[in-house]
Amino acid sequence: MYNPRNANTSDRMTAPIIVDTAEAEVLRALRLRGRISRTEISNITGWSKAKTSQEIRGLVDKGYLVDVGEGASQGGRKPRLLRLNNGLGYVIGIDIGATSLELALADVGGRILQRRYETTDVRLKPEIVLGRCRELIGEMLDAQGSRPGQMLGIGVGVPGPVDFARGVLVAPPLMPDWQDFPIRDFFKEFFPSVYVVVDNDVNIMALGEQRTGDGANVDHFIFVKIGTGIGAGIISNGKIHRGSDGCAGDIGHICVDKDGPICRCGNSGCLEAMAAGPAIVEKAIQAAQNGSSPLLSQMREANGGILRPEDVNAACREADQAALEIIRSSGQMVGDVLATLVNFFNPSHIFIGGGIANFGNHLLVSIRQAVLRRSLPLATTRLSINFSRAGADTGITGAVALASEYLFMVEDGLHYSF
Ligand SMILES: [Zn+2]
């Protein structure tokens, strides 16, 4: 049975449970299905019945897997199904947004048992924001009637570029005080036996889409977040593709116009500076001021001089031409960049999420048109581009998935997700 005292507590992002490569294959097969029969494991791994039974018996004896009874018959005897043993403990997911904190306590299979949500300001010092997370973790453990020792791992999503191997933010524009802050060490000081995995907010949304959304069973997809910023999470061969330093998918800083406005990264004409929420608001203010949209002008007056992206969306619903043009132009710029990515990466699906994704069909149609116009026919024949239907839960389910991905590790240090 798993013993937290055997946990590897070195500074690396090590998982507490070390398995051999054969055991990892079973766990990986399990990850694809959640619940799985011996025959399915045998089909996926290519092992004989005897070898499959032997490996499973080992994992059940160690307390990692449990028999959960009979599944539906496929014509013959009803298969006996296996899943991860929820008695192993709990994982924690933390989704830190620019203005909100969301935490969940889940079993190792990803089922959320407790959750907390509150507003925050990520520009505060990391000790303050993470300190609050620590208190909320304590609250959830109490509410669940469990001890800190039953907590296995923490997955943290943050809104900035993450050096994944080190688990730190690097030059985060939104949260400069977090530069190089040791997020893992902060939690390990209070919960010494846990492992902590830190990733950027869009990668966890991609994981959430894969676990609970339409991205389940899709091997190659891109999750695009359009909000205050723009970013993408890439699932390649069923796994997150982070690149060599962790910043793969940072598409917000691809240049779309060399003469464009200065971006918060310091360069000019980045996609994010041209097409994300603040750019939409900026253009809406111009339309309100120069008389091209009396409606936006009225809204601005009614809001005390302020316009928000939601106002532009509301104006689109009223068929305001200036607002429609602003949204179409954003969609086209996002679509042009995605067309390049489609040619390069050949995904079967693109899911669009984030605050601006609620903007309905005008945005989606413009994105689709731009992608179809500029991508290779072979790459778009079966390409699906849609809003993510997983909704606001994508981030937190992804943070939980991030934590459970690293529960097991093979001895050579290569991790296997399950
Ligand atoms: Zn930029």
Side-chain angles (χ1 to χ4, degrees), residues 151-168:
M151 197 167 89
L152 301 167
I154 303 178
V156 190
V158 286
V162 172
D163 177 334
F164 187 73
R166 290 166 56 226
V168 297

Side-chain angles (χ1 to χ4, degrees), residues 385-409:
I385 305 173
N386 275 300
F387 288 129
S388 164
R389 293 190 303 168
D393 276 355
T394 332
I396 193 64
T397 52
V400 165
L402 180 68
S404 36
E405 286 245 323
Y406 288 87
L407 184 56
F408 296 99
M409 193 176 257

Side-chain angles (χ1 to χ4, degrees), residues 112 315 363 380 411:
I112 291 178
L363 181 70
T380 53
E411 281 192 77

